[in-house]
Amino acid sequence: TQALVRQIMQRLYVGDEISLGRAAELAGMNYFQFEELLRQRGIKALEPKASKTTLVRQRELVDDILG
């Protein structure tokens, strides 16, 4: 059922296995609807995490801009 799928997506998200956006998509909801569902269940949205590669690229971009 849809409720079970949403519960599974919630657990995967809270366990940091999938992103909020992906959990929402698989739960058949949009990002904001899923975020609201979590809030109603007393779960705060996790801070987005950047991969090491992303952080390195961002640092290189800043270094290029600042010289």
Side-chain angles (χ1 to χ4, degrees):
T1 67
Q2 191 69 15
L4 179 58
V5 171
R6 289 178 178 173
Q7 185 176 17
I8 292 168
M9 293 308 107
Q10 173 188 320
R11 288 184 182 189
L12 289 172
Y13 171 71
V14 169
D16 206 18
E17 299 293 322
I18 59 176
S19 69
L20 192 143
R22 184 68 173 142
E25 178 184 355
L26 294 171
M29 304 172 85
N30 69 40
Y31 182 97
F32 300 105
Q33 290 169 326
F34 192 74
E35 188 175 44
E36 176 63 17
L37 176 72
L38 294 175
R39 189 191 65 72
Q40 290 172 356
R41 294 179 177 179
I43 300 168
K44 293 180 100 174
L46 303 173
E47 290 284 330
K49 294 181 183 175
S51 69
K52 185 175 181 180
T53 303
T54 299
L55 293 174
V56 168
R57 287 181 184 154
Q58 289 174 351
R59 178 62 189 206
E60 289 171 350
L61 178 60
V62 169
D63 287 346
D64 287 346
I65 291 170
L66 297 178

